[in-house]
Amino acid sequence: MNIFEAIMLVCFGASWPVSIWKTVKVKNPVGKSIGFLWLVEIGYISGIIYKIEHFDWVIALYILNAIMVATDLVLVMYYRKLRSSGKLN
């Protein structure tokens, strides 16, 4: 187990609840990049795959972060769809 990897994941992971909260609160995903969110998600999924092959407890942090990024990604796409259809001002 690499403690520095765990610290990195905790630090990155601390920002996702704030990002999700902001998306839900303002219901306006302007400024959020779907491409960026996908790149981050792919990175976390890659980390999960690596940790499956070289198992340690840090996999839980990868999974938690991947779930939060996926949540933000779904919310961004949902609110963009609502805005483009005129159902959300």
Side-chain angles (χ1 to χ4, degrees), residues 12 16 33-47 62 65-66 69-70 73:
F12 286 170
W16 293 117
S33 167
I34 290 176
F36 173 75
L37 290 171
W38 271 115
L39 284 173
V40 173
E41 187 69 11
I42 290 166
Y44 285 135
I45 291 169
S46 297
Y62 279 103
N65 285 352
V69 172
L73 182 59

Side-chain angles (χ1 to χ4, degrees), residues 1 8-10 15 18-19 24-25 32 39 42 44 50 57 62 65 70 81 85-88:
M1 189 265 313
M8 179 213 45
L9 289 167
V10 167
S15 65
V18 174
S19 182
V24 170
K25 181 174 168 81
K32 290 200 174 190
L39 284 173
I42 290 166
Y44 285 135
Y50 178 81
W57 69 270
Y62 279 103
N65 285 352
K81 182 177 178 181
S85 69
K87 294 180 182 177
L88 187 64

